[in-house]
């Protein structure tokens, strides 16, 4: 998943690999692919029956994409109706507000329960393209 090798992923699944099995720090293949920016692997994994789009120990695949500044992957994930953009980022990792770099705008973590919202995750790390994707999605309220 980290290399984006869709053929290898297909082969592993054919040989019985479980799509949601956690590895490499308690994250599943979708999370690894999203964080690595492997958009073809993300697209493929979203088509696999039974994939848990929100599964991970600390964060969803959307957060992995936002943390790594992968707006293209984030857009693909958000296009899937199973993806919840309101999922918090890890337990107790949130900030009360996050300032958008180079701006006077503050984004509260209103969507977050004990963690950092996806919008704060992207904005707080200066990933403006990810912030634009999230705001264009329309499900997150920056106010």
């Amino acid at each position: 998943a980290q290399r984006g090798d869709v053929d290898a992923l297909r082969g592993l699944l054919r040989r019985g690999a479980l799509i949601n099995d956690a590895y490499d720090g308690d994250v599943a293949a979708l999370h690894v692919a999203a964080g690595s920016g492997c958009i073809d692997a993300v697209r493929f994994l979203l088509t696999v029956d039974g994939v848990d789009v929100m599964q991970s120990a600390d964060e969803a695949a959307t957060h992995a994409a936002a943390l790594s500044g992968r707006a293209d992957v984030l857009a693909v994930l958000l296009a899937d109706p199973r993806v919840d953009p309101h999922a918090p980022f890890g337990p107790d990792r949130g900030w009360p507000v996050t300032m958008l770099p180079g701006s006077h705008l503050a984004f509260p973590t209103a969507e977050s329960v004990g963690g950092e919202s996806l919008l704060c995750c992207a904005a707080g790390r200066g990933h403006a393209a990810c912030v634009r994707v999230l705001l264009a999605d329309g499900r997150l309220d920056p106010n």
Side-chain angles (χ1 to χ4, degrees):
Q2 190 171 16
R3 292 189 312 265
D5 189 339
V6 174
D7 290 333
L9 289 169
R10 276 192 190 101
L12 288 169
L13 291 170
R14 272 195 305 270
R15 290 191 292 279
L18 300 175
I19 187 65
N20 296 315
D21 268 6
Y23 68 98
D24 191 30
D26 295 327
V27 294
L30 180 61
H31 184 278
V32 172
S36 300
C38 299
I39 196 164
D40 291 335
V42 168
R43 284 187 180 118
F44 167 71
L45 291 166
L46 288 173
T47 68
V48 176
D49 286 340
V51 67
D52 184 350
V53 297
M54 302 306 292
Q55 187 250 357
S56 178
D58 289 328
E59 64 197 34
T62 49
H63 285 87
L67 282 169
S68 60
R70 296 306 309 234
D72 54 344
V73 173
L74 187 56
V76 167
L77 290 165
L78 290 171
D80 189 302
R82 300 170 293 177
V83 171
D84 178 9
H86 297 93
F89 168 54
D92 302 318
R93 291 190 183 182
W95 302 323
V97 296
T98 298
M99 298 302 292
L100 187 61
S103 173
H104 64 282
L105 299 174
F107 291 92
T109 59
E111 299 84 10
S112 176
V113 178
E116 184 178 8
S117 74
L118 186 54
L119 191 55
C120 286
C121 178
R125 286 154 185 87
H127 299 309
C130 290
V131 170
R132 285 190 292 275
V133 166
L134 288 164
L135 293 177
D137 178 71
R139 290 182 279 174
L140 295 176
D141 182 5
N143 297 314

